[in-house]
Amino acid sequence: MKIAKNIKELNIYSGTNQVIGFVPTMGSLHEGHFLLVKEAILETSLTVVSIFVNPTQFNDSNDLKNYPRNIENDLFRLNLILREKDIVFIPDEKEIYPKPDTRTYNFGHLDKIMEGRNRPGHFNGVGQVVSKLFQIVKPSYAFFGEKDLQQLAVVRKLVQMLKIPIIIIGIPIVREADGLAMSSRNQLLGKNERAEVPKIFKALTEATRLKGINTVDEVRYKTIKEINKSQLLFVEYFEIVDEINLLPIKNWDINTGIFGCIAVKVGKIRLIDNIRF
Ligand code: PAF
């Protein structure tokens, strides 16, 4: 694989006439990321993986400071998967933001619910960096994990609003053996916290079983109550939403897919997850 540290190097390595599959990441890569990379390799002639911890999407400076960074390990693992011609793009901040990015996006209700409500400005920052990276990398396809379901919806809205001709592909969540959704933030969990967090997926799975037995409100209430029984877990939100608009549903009888989306505080760490009903 090639390592491009700036746009000039990226352009030299990527050449022309390639069908580029792009996997944007913030590093600290795990099996969830590697699944995106493998899909990109299968579907396209050149894969570009970016590693850039984007400051504009962090609404909490401590979160940005503590975000795990493991560049050596990331490159080692990527080298085992990527082909000779594929590229890892590791720009520094000046390369992406030569001047402060003041663009604001109107994602409608999408950045006001769930993650948007709890992390003001987060999705605007995601929009800024993703649109910049799309402009630089010029992919035909871009791959995003379904763990960040709302981010996926925001990115789809972004390409639609800005008329960017890129196909956005969502890739299913990868889980640890005990059900915990893979996330770079998992490595920040203490030992006791790590032992508790599988309760999140367990409760989500139970919620899907209760569909049809209980009302939507009852399932929501029971799930939150079950997780909050743990001394170490605190549910920030659990919303049962329709697949298209990610808006809360009132009853099960709707024509689209249904997802349960959750954010849980575990000490100072915040985990998100979701499940299809
Ligand atoms: O999902 C992430 O890791 C980030 O939000 C992304 C898409 C790489 C943008 O910084």
Side-chain angles (χ1 to χ4, degrees), residues 24-27 33 50 52-54 57 67 122 126 129-130 133 144 148 151 155:
T25 82
M26 298 208 297
H33 294 112
S50 67
F52 177 65
V53 181
N54 171 39
Q57 71 188 75
Y67 196 82
H122 167 66
V126 170
V129 77
V130 167
L133 289 168
F144 291 82
D148 296 300
Q151 169 170 278
V155 171

Side-chain angles (χ1 to χ4, degrees), residues 34 87 91 178 254:
F34 299 135
I87 305 168
D178 59 12
I254 62 165

Side-chain angles (χ1 to χ4, degrees), residues 50-79:
S50 67
I51 300 179
F52 177 65
V53 181
N54 171 39
T56 72
Q57 71 188 75
F58 285 82
N59 57 313
D60 172 351
S61 55
N62 267 330
D63 191 22
L64 172 60
K65 200 175 99 206
N66 296 329
Y67 196 82
R69 291 158 171 92
N70 296 305
I71 191 74
E72 305 271 290
N73 190 50
D74 291 345
L75 293 177
F76 177 79
R77 300 284 308 271
L78 283 172
N79 200 27

Side-chain angles (χ1 to χ4, degrees), residues 39-267:
E39 282 297 318
I41 291 173
L42 276 182
E43 298 295 328
T44 57
S45 66
L46 182 79
T47 299
V48 176
V49 179
S50 67
I51 300 179
F52 177 65
V53 181
N54 171 39
T56 72
Q57 71 188 75
F58 285 82
N59 57 313
D60 172 351
S61 55
N62 267 330
D63 191 22
L64 172 60
K65 200 175 99 206
N66 296 329
Y67 196 82
R69 291 158 171 92
N70 296 305
I71 191 74
E72 305 271 290
N73 190 50
D74 291 345
L75 293 177
F76 177 79
R77 300 284 308 271
L78 283 172
N79 200 27
L80 300 176
I81 303 173
L82 290 172
R83 299 158 296 190
E84 185 75 31
K85 59 183 174 177
D86 294 326
I87 305 168
V88 186
F89 179 45
I90 321 177
D92 65 16
E93 204 178 320
K94 280 211 197 76
E95 200 71 14
I96 301 296
Y97 300 116
K99 55 183 189 338
D101 196 335
T102 52
R103 293 171 300 162
T104 54
Y105 302 99
N106 181 358
F107 294 120
H109 71 278
L110 269 184
D111 65 349
K112 297 175 187 65
I113 54 174
M114 302 193 287
E115 286 305 284
R117 197 173 51 227
N118 288 278
R119 302 180 67 190
H122 167 66
F123 286 124
N124 202 68
V126 170
Q128 290 174 337
V129 77
V130 167
S131 62
K132 288 250 177 185
L133 289 168
F134 282 176
Q135 234 172 36
I136 295 168
V137 177
K138 300 181 210 56
S140 304
Y141 298 84
F143 298 78
F144 291 82
E146 286 178 355
K147 186 174 83 66
D148 296 300
L149 195 70
Q150 196 174 352
Q151 169 170 278
L152 184 58
V154 164
V155 171
R156 288 205 160 111
K157 177 98 183 168
L158 181 81
V159 295
Q160 187 198 8
M161 285 189 327
L162 304 183
K163 301 191 171 49
I164 307 174
I166 296 177
I167 297 170
I168 305 300
I169 304 198
I171 302 291
I173 298 177
V174 180
R175 297 185 181 279
E176 303 283 357
D178 59 12
L180 175 65
M182 291 212 181
S183 162
S184 306
R185 287 192 161 86
N186 292 351
Q187 57 188 276
L188 300 173
L189 296 167
K191 203 167 164 234
N192 294 343
E193 293 168 338
R194 178 62 189 82
E196 284 293 277
V197 289
K199 289 185 177 165
I200 302 169
F201 182 60
K202 214 167 154 226
L204 290 180
T205 308
E206 174 63 6
T208 61
R209 194 187 68 81
L210 294 176
K211 175 182 176 242
I213 302 174
N214 292 135
T215 65
V216 172
D217 273 348
E218 283 164 354
V219 173
R220 211 178 141 256
Y221 175 76
K222 281 186 181 177
T223 306
I224 295 173
K225 196 167 158 219
E226 185 56 31
I227 296 174
N228 282 347
K229 268 190 204 159
S230 161
Q231 299 274 328
L232 296 181
L233 307 179
F234 177 73
V235 177
E236 211 168 73
Y237 64 79
F238 174 52
E239 301 286 1
I240 300 176
V241 300
D242 75 89
E243 184 172 13
I244 309 288
N245 296 307
L246 301 188
L247 285 172
I249 59 167
K250 298 231 174 324
N251 52 62
W252 301 113
D253 188 18
I254 62 165
N255 291 329
T256 72
I258 298 172
F259 276 90
C261 299
I262 197 161
V264 179
K265 289 279 282 188
V266 195

